[in-house]
C-alpha cells in the first residue's frame, strides 16, 4: 500500500510540475485545433533550391548572445515561464508579432538576436519564450501561454492580431510545426529552420495554415529525405507547404540566421 501511495504522489507532483512549467491548464483544450477525418482538399507541396540564402560558416562554434541584445530585450515571467519581448521604435500603427522558439540548449534571447534587425526594419514585435530546461516537448503543445502573452502585451503595445506568425529553429522548429498544426490561434503561418516533427503526431486541422521549411543540404541532424517526407505528409493533411533547401548549409543557425529571418518575414508578409 505504501508503494502504491508513494507512486501516486510522485505522479501527482510530476504532473503539477510539468503543468506549471509548460502552461497546461483546463483552458488549454479550448486552444487545441479540432481534427477532421479527412481534409477538404490536400494542400500543395513545393520544393525550391535557395542558393541565395547560403551564408558561409564563420568558424566560431561558441555562439553567445551579445550583451546589447540582452539589454534591449524585456524579460517577463508568466505562469512560471520566462519569456522575452523586443519592441522596435514605437509607432502609431499596429505592429505585427512573431513568436520565436529557440533550438535545444539555447534561450529565447538567441532568437531575438537573429531577428532584431528584421524587427527594427519592419516594425515587428518579437516574443521569444524559454523552453523547459532549454528544450521543447516532443509531444503535446501548449498554446495557452501564447494567448496569455498576447493578452498581457496587448494592454501596453499596439499588436496587430491579424499579423501573428510562428518561427522556430531545430528543436524549437519541431515544436513550431506541432503548434501550427494542432493549436488554434491568430497565427497565420509558420516558418521553420533546420527542424521538423514526426508527421505521425500531426492531425488534419479544421484550418490548415501555410508552413515553410528551411533546411541545409549538409544538415547532419535533420535530413533532406526525411524533410521531404514530412513536408509531403503535412500537405496531404491540408497545409500548403514549401521546402526551401539551402545548398552547402549546415544545421548551424547563428551566421545565416538574419538572412533567413529576412526571407521568412518577406514570406510572412504575403500570407
Amino acid at each position: 500500500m505504501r508503494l502504491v501511495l508513494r507512486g501516486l504522489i510522485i505522479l501527482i507532483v510530476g504532473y503539477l510540475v510539468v503543468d506549471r512549467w509548460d502552461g497546461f491548464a483546463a483552458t488549454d483544450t479550448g486552444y487545441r485545433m479540432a481534427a477532421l477525418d479527412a481534409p477538404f482538399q490536400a494542400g500543395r507541396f513545393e520544393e525550391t533550391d535557395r542558393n541565395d540564402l547560403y551564408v558561409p560558416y564563420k568558424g566560431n562554434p561558441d555562439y553567445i548572445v551579445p550583451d546589447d541584445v540582452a539589454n534591449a530585450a524585456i524579460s517577463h515571467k508568466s505562469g512560471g515561464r520566462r519569456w522575452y519581448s523586443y519592441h522596435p521604435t514605437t509607432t502609431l500603427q499596429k505592429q505585427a508579432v512573431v513568436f520565436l522558439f529557440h533550438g535545444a540548449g539555447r534561450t529565447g534571447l538567441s532568437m531575438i538576436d537573429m531577428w532584431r534587425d528584421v524587427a527594427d526594419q519592419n516594425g515587428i514585435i518579437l516574443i521569444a519564450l524559454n523552453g523547459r530546461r532549454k528544450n521543447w516537448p516532443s509531444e503535446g503543445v501548449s498554446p495557452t501561454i501564447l494567448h496569455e502573452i498576447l493578452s498581457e502585451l496587448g494592454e501596453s503595445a499596439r499588436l496587430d492580431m491579424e499579423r501573428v506568425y510562428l518561427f522556430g529553429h531545430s528543436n524549437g522548429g519541431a515544436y513550431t510545426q506541432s503548434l501550427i498544426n494542432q493549436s488554434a490561434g491568430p497565427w497565420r503561418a509558420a516558418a521553420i529552420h533546420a527542424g521538423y516533427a514526426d508527421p505521425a503526431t500531426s492531425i488534419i486541422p479544421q484550418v490548415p495554415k501555410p508552413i515553410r521549411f528551411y533546411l541545409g543540404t549538409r544538415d547532419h541532424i535533420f535530413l533532406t529525405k526525411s524533410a521531404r517526407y514530412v513536408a509531403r505528409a503535412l500537405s496531404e493533411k491540408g497545409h500548403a507547404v514549401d521546402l526551401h533547401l539551402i545548398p552547402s548549409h549546415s544545421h548551424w543557425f547563428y551566421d545565416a540566421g538574419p538572412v533567413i529571418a529576412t526571407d521568412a518575414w518577406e514570406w510572412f508578409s504575403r500570407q
Side-chain angles (χ1 to χ4, degrees):
M1 178 63 71
R2 288 182 179 179
L3 289 175
V4 172
L5 289 174
R6 184 180 299 175
L8 286 173
I9 291 171
I10 292 173
L11 284 173
I12 292 170
V13 171
Y15 175 82
L16 290 175
V17 170
V18 172
D19 176 71
R20 184 170 182 269
W21 186 274
D22 286 336
F24 287 105
T27 55
D28 218 39
T29 56
Y31 294 132
R32 298 298 292 267
M33 183 73 72
L36 301 177
D37 294 330
F40 176 72
Q41 62 181 19
R44 63 167 178 77
F45 166 73
E46 292 185 4
E47 180 178 319
T48 306
D49 286 337
R50 295 297 305 274
N51 287 286
D52 59 310
L53 296 182
Y54 174 69
V55 174
Y57 173 56
K58 296 180 180 179
N60 180 16
D62 300 320
Y63 166 79
I64 298 175
V65 175
D67 289 340
D68 62 324
V69 174
N71 293 333
I74 302 172
S75 178
H76 310 259
K77 196 169 186 179
S78 302
R81 171 70 63 85
R82 177 70 59 190
W83 56 279
Y84 306 92
S85 63
Y86 179 81
H87 303 252
T89 303
T90 303
T91 67
L92 296 178
Q93 297 181 344
K94 290 185 177 181
Q95 296 173 302
V97 179
V98 178
F99 279 101
L100 303 171
F101 301 89
H102 62 76
R106 304 289 181 180
T107 69
L109 289 174
S110 65
M111 301 301 288
I112 287 180
D113 184 22
M114 297 298 103
W115 271 81
R116 60 173 173 161
D117 287 345
V118 179
D120 288 337
Q121 293 164 11
N122 298 279
I124 307 164
I125 293 176
L126 305 178
I127 300 172
L129 295 81
N130 284 353
R132 185 184 184 213
R133 297 177 183 174
K134 298 185 177 181
N135 277 279
W136 301 98
S138 59
E139 295 183 4
V141 296
S142 181
T144 295
I145 184 66
L146 306 187
H147 288 270
E148 291 176 351
I149 288 172
L150 289 174
S151 296
E152 182 176 334
L153 278 185
E155 297 178 359
S156 58
R158 292 180 58 81
L159 306 183
D160 186 347
M161 298 300 288
E162 296 297 319
R163 296 189 298 154
V164 180
Y165 310 93
L166 309 175
F167 181 93
H169 163 63
S170 191
N171 173 242
Y175 191 70
T176 299
Q177 176 186 316
S178 297
L179 276 171
I180 197 69
N181 172 253
Q182 299 174 25
S183 68
W187 27 93
R188 299 178 63 89
I192 297 164
H193 173 262
Y196 48 73
D198 184 352
T201 63
S202 62
I203 66 172
I204 298 172
Q206 285 188 330
V207 184
K209 298 177 181 180
I211 304 172
R212 172 173 286 190
F213 290 95
Y214 295 96
L215 185 70
T217 59
R218 291 188 178 178
D219 194 316
H220 64 292
I221 301 174
F222 295 91
L223 306 181
T224 300
K225 182 177 179 180
S226 297
R228 288 193 182 106
Y229 172 76
V230 172
R232 290 186 183 278
L234 289 170
S235 69
E236 290 171 359
K237 294 187 176 182
H239 295 280
V241 185
D242 297 326
L243 174 59
H244 286 214
L245 298 176
I246 307 172
S248 300
H249 178 56
S250 67
H251 189 75
W252 186 251
F253 185 51
Y254 306 100
D255 293 321
V259 172
I260 292 169
T262 298
D263 192 80
W265 173 251
E266 192 280 329
W267 178 69
F268 280 156
S269 66
R270 292 187 279 109
Q271 304 308 308

